[in-house]
């Protein structure tokens, strides 16, 4: 998207005011930060001193994390899968049946929660309607007087 010339100039002026350098705006923000809450002033001082290095630091940190994640992708932890077979057929069958039963209980609880939420919504709607009707009656009585 192309910005009009005056918008581009305004954006350049705003970014120039807050560049990591000793500009009047950054010094004022630093002093204000120290007055309001000292860690803010300290953060602004760090931005003034080291702000030009933040982008390279961010890129280096991202590369390090990417390397670490790519190395860890191939690792498999023993016992990490909750559905791995135990080797005992009877136990595995029992566990599957219990998990199915628990899932059915969870489904029933979810249905009950939804029904209760619907019931509470209806109660709130009825209460709101009653209060609104009372307001309208009072309003009409006050107008007729």
């Amino acid at each position: 998207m192309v910005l009009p010339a005056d918008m581009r100039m305004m954006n350049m002026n705003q970014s120039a005011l807050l560049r990591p350098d000793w500009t009047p705006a950054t010094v004022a923000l630093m002093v204000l930060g120290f007055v309001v809450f000292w860690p803010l002033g300290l953060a602004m001082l760090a931005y003034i001193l080291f702000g030009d290095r933040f982008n390279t630091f961010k890129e280096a940190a991202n590369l390090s994390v990417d390397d670490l994640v790519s190395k860890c992708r191939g690792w498999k932890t023993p016992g990490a899968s909750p559905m791995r077979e135990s080797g005992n057929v009877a136990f595995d069958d029992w566990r599957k049946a219990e998990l199915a039963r628990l899932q059915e209980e969870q489904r029933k609880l979810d249905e009950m929660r939804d029904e209760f939420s619907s019931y509470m919504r209806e109660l709130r709607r009825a209460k709101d309607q009653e209060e609104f009707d009372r307001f309208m009656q009072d309003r009409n009585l006050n107008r007729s007087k």
Side-chain angles (χ1 to χ4, degrees):
M1 182 169 117
V2 177
L3 295 173
D6 55 340
M7 288 296 291
R8 277 187 293 212
M9 184 59 82
M10 187 173 72
N11 286 338
M12 287 185 348
N13 288 341
Q14 288 174 349
S15 64
L17 287 175
L18 293 177
R19 68 184 185 276
D21 199 5
W22 293 99
T23 64
T26 56
V27 171
L29 284 173
M30 179 185 64
V31 170
L32 183 66
F34 276 116
V35 169
V36 172
F37 185 58
W38 69 266
L40 293 175
L42 197 60
M44 192 63 199
L45 178 63
Y47 176 72
I48 292 169
L49 295 175
F50 306 109
D52 54 342
R53 298 183 214 165
F54 283 159
N55 285 337
T56 56
F57 173 76
K58 178 184 165 196
E59 290 169 5
N62 284 339
L63 286 175
S64 298
V65 169
D66 289 343
D67 289 342
L68 181 64
V69 167
S70 66
K71 288 178 185 175
C72 293
R73 284 219 168 123
W75 294 355
K76 297 281 184 196
T77 359
S81 173
M83 291 302 294
R84 78 178 207 286
E85 301 291 321
S86 69
N88 185 322
V89 177
F91 174 76
D92 290 340
D93 290 343
W94 172 82
R95 182 173 60 182
K96 286 177 188 174
E98 285 296 305
L99 288 173
R101 183 185 64 79
L102 289 172
Q103 286 175 344
E104 179 63 22
E105 287 294 318
Q106 180 70 40
R107 186 189 61 75
K108 287 178 185 176
L109 287 173
D110 289 342
E111 285 177 4
M112 289 173 61
R113 184 193 61 224
D114 293 342
E115 288 174 15
F116 182 71
S117 294
S118 173
Y119 175 75
M120 291 302 294
R121 265 193 311 276
E122 187 58 31
L123 278 179
R124 273 189 233 112
R125 192 200 61 73
K127 181 182 174 191
D128 289 347
Q129 185 65 48
E130 179 184 322
E131 290 174 353
F132 177 73
D133 292 341
R134 191 175 333 128
F135 166 75
M136 289 304 286
Q137 286 175 354
D138 292 346
R139 182 173 177 239
N140 289 338
L141 284 174
N142 289 339
R143 278 192 174 175
S144 63
K145 288 182 180 181

